[in-house]
Amino acid sequence: MSYLERWWRDSSESQRASFTNLVKNGQLEIVGGGWVMNDEANSHYFAIIEQIMEGNMWLNDTIGFIPKNSWAIDPFGYSATMAYLLRRMGFENMLIQRTHYELKKELALHQNLEYIWRQSWDTEETSDIFVHMMPFYSYDIPHTCGPEPAVCCQFDFARMGGFFYEACPWRQNPVETNQENVQERALKLLDQYKKKSTLYRTNTLLVPLGDDFRYTTINEAEAQFRNYQLLFDYINSNPSLNAEAKFGTLDDYFRTLREEADRINYSRPGEIGSGQVEGFPSLSGDFFTYADRQQDYWSGYYVSRPFFKAVDRVLEQTLRATEMMVALLLGYCQRAQCEKLPMSFAYKLTAARRNLALFQHHDGVTGTAKDHVVLDYGTRMHTSLQDLQIFMSKAIEVLLGIRERYDQNLSQFEPEQVRSKYDAQPVHKVINVHEGTSQSVVIFNPLEQTREEIVMVIVNRPDITVLDSNWTCVQSQISPELRHGKSKIFTGRHRLHWKATIPALGLQVYYIANGFVGCDKAKPVKLKYSSDNSFSCPTPYACSKIEGDVADIRNRHQILSFDVRHGLLQKISHINGSQNVVEEEIDMYSSQGSGAYLFMPNGDAHPITEAGGLMVISKGPLMEEAYSYPRTAWERSPISHSTRLYNGNNMIQEFLIEKEYHVELLSHNFNDRELIVRYKTDIDNKRIFYSDLNGFQMSRRETYDKIPLQGNYYPMPALAFMQGSNGQRFSVHSRQSLGVASLKDGWLEIMLDRRLSRDDGRGLGQGVLDNRAMNVVFHILVESNISSTSNSISKPLTLSPSLLSHLTGAHLNYPLHAFISKKPQELSVQPPPRSFSPLAGSLPCDLHIVNFKVPRPSKYSQQSPDDSRFVLILQRRYWDSSYCRKGRSQCVSVVDEPLNLFSMFKGLAILNAKATSLNLLNDDIGMLGYPEQLEDVSQDGQVTIAPMEIQAYKLEMRPNE
């Protein structure tokens, strides 16, 4: 729809009318109707829902059409998440194309190219959706009429003389159809149709006729139509041929096929089918990793342009936080006065939704666009990020009651992290605190549970104090800020850490004060460094040399041991006395054939670290850190990294290991190199691991010797874990999409970046040399189960994350948003305590607010409250109960009884609540397949959600009288 919307903007009234007419008549069908045709490997489910919603709602608002058939011919592999989301949006059929050529062969052999896609957790057929998989190499005309491209190409009449398209590579070109040759041509075409039809069960056959960049002129369209009409007329007027051929839409095809399947039962003996459409097999799982020929596996794009894969998720979580603020501002607002701020932002909010949606394109978040297109995507995302942050800076003033209403003045707050340009790393604003003053820090928690978390800001001086909004002392620690480099690793600034507590969807204020009497100042860390003559100890810290070859950092739960010479993690010792070997390695693959799409390594990866790098250990009460700048064969190392442990009661953070890798593949020294981190553990996972699909569900992965290394790499949008026979789990959470593999027993490796000088021949026409400096953050968990109900080796089914793992992922992907005051205030003036806490209490830990938004902000004032102008989208997480139920943290509850929407918010009445589809367009809930019929919530507000389900509710809100 991003293209159709551009056309619509510039088209005349009469063009619009005739277009709408064609759609209403069923002569022209809009399929999918998303803002783009999204990638399915790197895209997060939040962004997929957003982009389909954006396209579908624009289409419905503009011409009153709601698509029900999905069309995804170009993404490089397919995710089961897509099948689930489409079904819950009210889609009935899907069409896909790019799946592994061996898989197409196998499915075709048993006429299983049309099937029912069912989710792996679904035992009741509630997620079933009908799928047509195209059978051949490509979606172009040579590969759609039948199995012989040399023949099919002769029926692409745009390749006749007079058009711009290239001649057929098989040297037999199309000729104009006439009365003399029509019999011979028609029989030749029909022969292809018949051969193709043997791959499918029914007598209804789909033959797409098109390609990229086609139908650009009337003459071209006329050439196809004129010739095919003659061929069809011949076929249809000869009953002996037993065939009828005609033009149609995708909907015509699926409708005809379903009518036939109703009449004739095509089921096979012993086959598990579906009540959705009889006569077809049901399949579960996903279609990664794609190969289109030989050993050409498309696993490179899981990692290409990782800098922008990270920006994608930052925009996503910033948009989500902003949507919530807009909804809360309007929900608590009673007068037109306070509507001004969110209403004036409606245009930019829509632009931000569309810029995120656009990047979900299968050449966007994939990293497979040309440099100048990457620049455009990047600039759009950057612009929207800035717009959203400026809005949030203003919104927090209103929500905290600092400002009654919005006027045009600038906000007194600014975001704590800023980006100078579209391809720059974010930098922390330095907080300057002069003697006798304080600076406010306002923190927003976008999650549905209260958060206790160690937070960090950058300050210009160490002798300061942290206070909460009641001006009570808060324990804090100070440590030097580090930067990537061999010398001058200290910036001269300081990191200030303290433990913050922020209510769900709420705001909390803290003060950083200089000269406040009665509180302890921030405690400086103690520094230890590996012997390096150039090390100069920063003030006011105490420094000493690391003795021996092993150093450690620790908290209440674990001790991490490092090999000092290489600066790498070696083992994890748990407080209960058990240990895990976790040998960290930083390696590189070299390749000749790799490009933006393909990963084609020459053999295994080799370690790049040599003995003798710099290591700095910081130890303090709240956070301990091991920083390593390794020695490598290059003058400037392409990587440095920090490992952190946090201390503090009741925090998710206590249980995780934070790894931050700073990566710079910036010079031609690294051409045709791919950088990985590899964790070699003692977990006997038998080369079986689990990686997520779109941050929504887990998929079981097994490494096979029969396929090359690159075919054993899988997408990792957010999480990968291994499980041993004793139930021990090693999980790595990521805040951006990357690629992951387990090539040997106990190994888990993740690719961080790739720099490639060559094009890999899949249409991009360039290498990937526009690498940016970037930071990759992982949160690692090592867990032991408390009951042995799940054994990953024997069970072919997929496993689910523990509750702690879900919460760790949520904290990483939906971080706290911090804002700092632009001007200091005198310590003598103590403002009243301020906070904002909209929820009646934390939601259960397995319930997640996917989004809370006003779908049509620009129309808000014109709509009546009867229209239910707000939307709440909820998801219930499925978690492995053989791990600790409490999530080892401040988990108060999990969903045991229905949630009451009416009593969810403090001071807000919820009215006109009704369930709807995930694209907000189908209020007939019966057609969406939910396991429990979504009862009418408008009466009592009770909401029941089965595990794994996502449910959307339209509602109206107004402040309680």
Side-chain angles (χ1 to χ4, degrees), residues 428-594:
H428 293 272
K429 280 266 185 199
V430 181
I431 301 175
N432 294 311
V433 199
H434 303 292
E435 177 76 37
T437 68
S438 73
Q439 288 271 27
S440 336
V441 179
V442 180
I443 302 173
F444 176 63
N445 169 15
L447 285 183
E448 50 286 309
Q449 288 96 26
T450 298
R451 262 160 103 160
E452 295 191 40
E453 200 166 302
I454 306 284
V455 296
M456 188 273 285
V457 295
I458 300 292
V459 292
N460 67 336
R461 52 192 306 154
D463 49 345
I464 45 178
T465 314
V466 179
L467 303 152
D468 67 16
S469 63
N470 299 317
W471 289 77
T472 312
C473 313
V474 178
Q475 181 192 18
S476 59
Q477 100 175 24
I478 196 104
S479 56
E481 185 187 34
L482 302 168
R483 66 174 150 220
H484 176 75
K486 191 156 54 175
S487 58
K488 299 212 180 91
I489 62 158
F490 299 113
T491 63
R493 297 185 292 261
H494 308 270
R495 293 178 289 173
L496 176 67
H497 285 87
W498 75 93
K499 181 177 167 184
T501 304
I502 299 110
L505 301 198
L507 294 162
Q508 192 58 266
V509 184
Y510 288 89
Y511 299 99
I512 297 166
N514 180 351
F516 187 84
V517 184
C519 284
D520 288 339
K521 290 183 176 166
K523 192 174 165 69
V525 296
K526 293 191 166 66
L527 298 177
K528 290 183 162 185
Y529 60 95
S530 58
S531 51
D532 182 341
N533 304 332
S534 66
F535 186 87
S536 62
C537 186
T539 45
Y541 303 97
C543 301
S544 60
K545 279 192 175 176
I546 298 173
E547 306 295 331
D549 289 340
V550 178
D552 67 40
I553 58 173
R554 62 183 65 206
N555 67 8
R556 296 191 313 163
H557 303 282
Q558 48 199 352
I559 301 168
L560 308 184
S561 307
F562 294 85
D563 159 13
V564 176
R565 286 172 46 228
H566 293 87
L568 297 166
L569 181 62
Q570 279 188 317
K571 72 170 182 202
I572 302 170
S573 309
H574 308 279
I575 292 309
N576 64 9
S578 66
Q579 290 191 344
N580 280 96
V581 175
V582 180
E583 288 180 21
E584 178 184 26
E585 254 184 26
I586 294 167
D587 301 352
M588 267 186 189
Y589 287 100
S590 62
S591 64
Q592 251 88 65
S594 287

Side-chain angles (χ1 to χ4, degrees), residues 231-382:
L231 294 163
F232 290 172
D233 289 346
Y234 180 84
I235 292 168
N236 299 342
S237 59
N238 282 283
S240 60
L241 295 178
N242 279 329
E244 183 197 356
K246 60 182 177 188
F247 294 107
T249 61
L250 190 61
D251 194 57
D252 291 333
Y253 171 71
F254 283 127
R255 230 184 25 249
T256 311
L257 175 131
R258 281 169 177 259
E259 282 164 12
E260 185 186 338
D262 281 347
R263 288 196 317 274
I264 307 166
N265 186 358
Y266 287 106
S267 299
R268 302 282 164 88
E271 180 174 85
I272 298 175
S274 164
Q276 268 295 306
V277 190
E278 303 275 343
F280 299 92
S282 63
L283 301 180
S284 291
D286 60 84
F287 296 96
F288 298 114
T289 289
Y290 170 55
D292 56 346
R293 47 186 154 98
Q294 289 128 356
Q295 310 265 289
D296 295 6
Y297 282 86
W298 296 45
S299 47
Y301 83 98
Y302 303 156
V303 188
S304 299
R305 294 344 200 297
F307 178 91
F308 294 103
K309 285 175 162 65
V311 174
D312 167 61
R313 297 277 272 276
V314 175
L315 177 56
E316 175 183 314
Q317 40 105 341
T318 308
L319 174 64
R320 177 177 171 277
T322 306
E323 297 274 19
M324 288 175 164
M325 284 192 186
V326 169
L328 291 165
L329 283 170
L330 289 171
Y332 282 103
C333 170
Q334 276 171 301
R335 300 177 306 285
Q337 222 35 67
C338 48
E339 282 184 11
K340 269 192 187 159
L341 171 61
M343 297 301 300
S344 64
F345 185 63
Y347 177 79
K348 286 181 172 177
L349 180 61
T350 302
R353 290 174 181 173
R354 290 179 176 180
N355 286 335
L356 176 68
L358 192 73
F359 193 60
Q360 305 314 307
H361 186 277
H362 56 270
D363 285 313
V365 68
T366 52
T368 55
K370 289 181 184 288
D371 288 354
H372 70 278
V373 182
V374 171
L375 181 144
D376 184 65
Y377 279 130
T379 306
R380 286 166 180 270
M381 292 196 288
H382 179 65

Side-chain angles (χ1 to χ4, degrees), residues 14-38:
S14 66
Q15 282 177 309
R16 291 177 178 188
S18 46
F19 179 86
T20 306
N21 213 25
L22 288 170
V23 175
K24 290 261 173 14
N25 289 344
Q27 288 170 272
L28 180 66
E29 184 191 0
I30 293 172
V31 287
W35 200 244
V36 295
M37 184 191 292
N38 61 270

Side-chain angles (χ1 to χ4, degrees), residues 12-84:
S12 67
E13 278 307 314
S14 66
Q15 282 177 309
R16 291 177 178 188
S18 46
F19 179 86
T20 306
N21 213 25
L22 288 170
V23 175
K24 290 261 173 14
N25 289 344
Q27 288 170 272
L28 180 66
E29 184 191 0
I30 293 172
V31 287
W35 200 244
V36 295
M37 184 191 292
N38 61 270
D39 171 43
E40 302 194 15
N42 304 292
S43 49
H44 194 266
Y45 77 97
F46 174 95
I48 298 175
I49 294 172
E50 275 289 305
Q51 83 85 11
I52 301 177
M53 189 189 291
E54 190 60 40
N56 283 190
M57 283 178 64
W58 177 85
L59 186 58
N60 190 40
D61 290 351
T62 308
I63 60 170
F65 180 77
I66 301 173
K68 58 176 193 234
N69 301 308
S70 159
W71 169 267
I73 55 173
D74 216 17
F76 331 131
Y78 297 90
S79 166
T81 304
M82 214 52 205
Y84 171 78

